[in-house]
């Protein structure tokens, strides 16, 4: 029993598809930019994730399905032997400490600079429209996003296939499942969007057309790995990376029931930093998707436990708190104070600000 009984719902076990969680506290996906130019995670990623194994579920940092899917500096992939060897050590280390871990799979689409990839590659998106704003590169500091090339219709199936083979790679490396990244303005979200997607083929225009590519990705992934081990993350109303969803209620009103029909392990809903929606996205999603739901963004233990108690979600994901508190579960259980995350080391290479946050035991 936790020292504060109001928090009890956080510590109850729950089943999300085939994933049996020992508690309802989830480590949110967190890009930490510690990998090599060839997107190989560092060996000490195993320590970082194993330190956090008391979470009911760990969702890894967003991980590329191919070099073309890479946009930022030093983010990892799941498509070469060298990458997968490290990922296998991560899965082993988390399992050895009794944890569960799924890999978040992404393609950044237009949120990219070629300077950030160690191999020649293309920047592709639904349409040839550059994202606003700038991004960081190790080579030249802040630069404009590259102008993407619009994907040819026939190329879309190859991307879905890359998602499927990365999912297979994750399961073969010992992961408990995968999470498809359909949030935060990256490729799947770009297809969903009413402004970034200006296509005139069967992947653009109507809501039914704009959800087609993300649904084809889901279909490819569940053709490669068990659907009860596949989750998907959305961020309705998150105006990030230049995304607009002018017909948001119609869009998610169609997308989420389609997703429900696949029998996935869970839907993961990230709330926007500033909510521009009339309806809270977690409440909206609970009404449109009858499967298991993880809610994320700006929850603390009290608001997360209250949401679980009201039946509004099945688990709560914590992001920044997990950067700084490897033993978040134990701290919440005894009511111990939380360490403060240091933003300056969120995305810097090396172990500093990564594996060196103290646990209570230390
Ligand atoms: C450093 C950092 C990296 C992040 N990387 C990812 C990511 O790789 N994939 C993703 O879906 N969200 C990512 N997010 C969003 C988090 O998963 C989470 O939703 C967000 O931090 C809000 O939750 P919080 O209020 O508990 O921190 C990131 C956030 C931060 C602060």
């Amino acid at each position: 029993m936790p020292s504060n009984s109001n928090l009890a719902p956080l510590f109850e076990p729950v089943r999300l598809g085939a994933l049996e969680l020992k508690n309802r506290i989830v480590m949110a996906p967190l890009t930490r930019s510690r990998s090599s130019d060839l997107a190989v995670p560092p060996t000490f990623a195993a320590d970082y994730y194993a330190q956090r194994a008391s979470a009911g579920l760990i969702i890894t940092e967003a991980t590329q399905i191919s070099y073309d899917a890479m946009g930022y500096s030093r983010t990892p992939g799941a498509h070469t032997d060298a990458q997968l060897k490290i990922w296998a050590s991560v899965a082993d280390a988390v399992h050895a400490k009794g944890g569960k871990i799924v890999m978040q799979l992404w393609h950044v689409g237009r949120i990219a600079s070629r300077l950030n990839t160690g191999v020649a590659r293309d920047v592709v998106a639904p349409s040839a429209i550059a994202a606003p704003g700038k991004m960081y590169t190790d080579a030249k500091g802040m630069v404009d996003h590259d102008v993407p090339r619009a994907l040819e219709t026939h190329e879309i199936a190859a991307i879905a296939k890359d998602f499927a083979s990365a999912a297979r790679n994750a399961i073969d490396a010992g992961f408990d499942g995968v999470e498809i990244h359909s949030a935060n303005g990256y490729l799947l979200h770009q297809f969903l969007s009413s402004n970034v997607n200006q296509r005139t083929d069967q992947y653009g225009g109507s809501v039914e057309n704009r959800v087609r590519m993300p649904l084809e990705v889901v279909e490819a992934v569940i053709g490669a790995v068990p659907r009860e081990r596949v989750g998907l993350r959305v961020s309705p109303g998150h105006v990030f990376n230049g995304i607009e969803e002018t017909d948001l209620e119609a869009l998610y009103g169609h997308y989420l029931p389609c997703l429900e029909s696949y029998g996935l392990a869970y839907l993961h809903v990230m709330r926007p930093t500033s909510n521009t929606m009339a309806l809270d996205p977690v409440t909206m999603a609970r009404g449109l998707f009858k499967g298991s739901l993880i809610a994320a963004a700006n929850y603390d233990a009290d608001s997360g436990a209250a949401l679980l108690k009201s039946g509004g979600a099945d688990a709560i994901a914590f992001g920044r708190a997990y950067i700084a508190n490897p033993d978040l579960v134990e701290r919440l259980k005894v009511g111990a104070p939380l360490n403060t995350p240091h933003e300056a080391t969120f995305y810097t290479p090396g172990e500093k600000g990564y594996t060196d946050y103290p646990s209570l035991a230390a």
Side-chain angles (χ1 to χ4, degrees):
M1 197 60 183
S3 60
N4 174 352
S5 63
N6 288 337
L7 303 188
L10 289 167
F11 303 99
E12 288 165 7
V14 67
R15 187 189 172 95
L16 312 177
L19 308 170
E20 303 263 8
L21 277 54
K22 61 193 170 200
N23 59 57
R24 295 169 188 245
I25 297 172
V26 173
M27 177 177 168
L30 293 158
T31 290
R32 303 304 312 278
S33 305
R34 262 79 179 170
S35 299
S36 74
D37 285 351
L38 292 177
V40 180
T43 50
F44 51 81
D47 302 330
Y48 165 75
Y49 283 111
Q51 285 170 352
R52 288 153 178 80
S54 60
L57 181 66
I58 293 172
I59 305 169
T60 69
E61 63 210 276
T63 301
Q64 287 101 224
I65 56 165
S66 66
Y67 282 124
D68 280 358
M70 183 173 186
Y72 292 92
S73 47
R74 293 175 269 104
T75 52
H79 53 92
T80 71
D81 290 345
Q83 295 160 356
L84 293 162
K85 193 171 154 217
I86 304 287
W87 281 127
S89 75
V90 169
D92 278 353
V94 168
H95 291 152
K97 290 184 73 185
K100 294 267 157 72
I101 183 164
V102 300
M103 184 186 283
Q104 190 186 49
L105 298 177
W106 74 341
H107 188 308
V108 297
R110 68 181 191 152
I111 307 302
S113 166
R114 284 181 190 78
L115 296 173
N116 282 335
T117 317
V119 297
R121 47 77 58 94
D122 239 1
V123 173
V124 294
S127 303
I129 307 168
K134 292 186 184 286
M135 77 185 314
Y136 174 79
T137 62
D138 282 332
K140 292 196 173 159
M142 300 304 286
V143 299
D144 290 339
H145 293 105
D146 285 348
V147 180
R149 175 173 71 72
L151 283 162
E152 302 287 341
T153 304
H154 69 86
E155 291 178 298
I156 289 173
I159 291 185
K161 234 171 130 186
D162 286 345
F163 268 95
S165 61
R168 189 67 249 164
N169 291 344
I171 298 293
D172 289 348
F175 279 75
D176 298 290
V178 296
E179 176 176 289
I180 298 168
H181 198 340
S182 178
N184 299 353
Y186 300 110
L187 186 65
L188 273 63
H189 204 183
Q190 291 162 27
F191 271 90
L192 295 175
S193 154
S194 49
N195 65 326
V196 180
N197 181 348
Q198 294 292 328
R199 300 180 71 90
T200 53
D201 63 2
Q202 68 269 37
Y203 295 98
S206 66
V207 157
E208 288 76 11
N209 281 356
R210 277 153 42 212
V211 304
R212 194 181 308 279
M213 183 274 181
L215 294 183
E216 288 181 3
V217 168
V218 175
E219 283 171 19
V221 169
I222 64 177
V225 302
R227 62 186 70 224
E228 323 76 64
R229 296 189 176 277
V230 177
L232 181 139
R233 190 177 221 207
V234 290
S235 58
H238 191 31
V239 261
F240 185 59
N241 284 328
I243 288 286
E244 285 176 15
E245 297 166 316
T246 44
D247 47 6
L248 188 142
E249 289 187 21
L251 175 64
Y252 288 91
H254 183 65
Y255 189 35
L256 301 190
C258 287
L259 291 172
E260 182 193 316
S261 72
Y262 292 122
L264 302 179
Y266 65 83
L267 178 71
H268 184 177
V269 179
M270 178 179 153
R271 302 190 293 181
T273 1
S274 58
N275 191 3
T276 50
M277 296 169 59
L279 189 62
D280 172 68
V282 173
T283 311
M284 176 187 81
R286 196 59 154 176
L288 291 166
F289 181 91
K290 301 290 174 247
S292 298
L293 192 73
I294 302 176
N298 291 311
Y299 289 100
D300 60 15
D302 289 312
S303 57
L307 183 68
L308 294 176
K309 193 169 180 204
S310 72
D314 300 291
I316 307 292
F318 297 92
R320 287 159 295 175
Y322 253 117
I323 291 179
N325 297 279
D327 56 348
L328 184 65
V329 170
E330 290 79 4
R331 283 173 191 265
L332 297 182
K333 211 174 250 173
V334 301
L338 300 186
N339 299 321
T340 307
H342 306 300
E343 284 191 35
T345 52
F346 276 7
Y347 304 110
T348 47
E351 295 210 50
K352 192 170 160 16
Y354 188 62
T355 48
D356 58 358
Y357 283 101
S359 63
L360 285 178

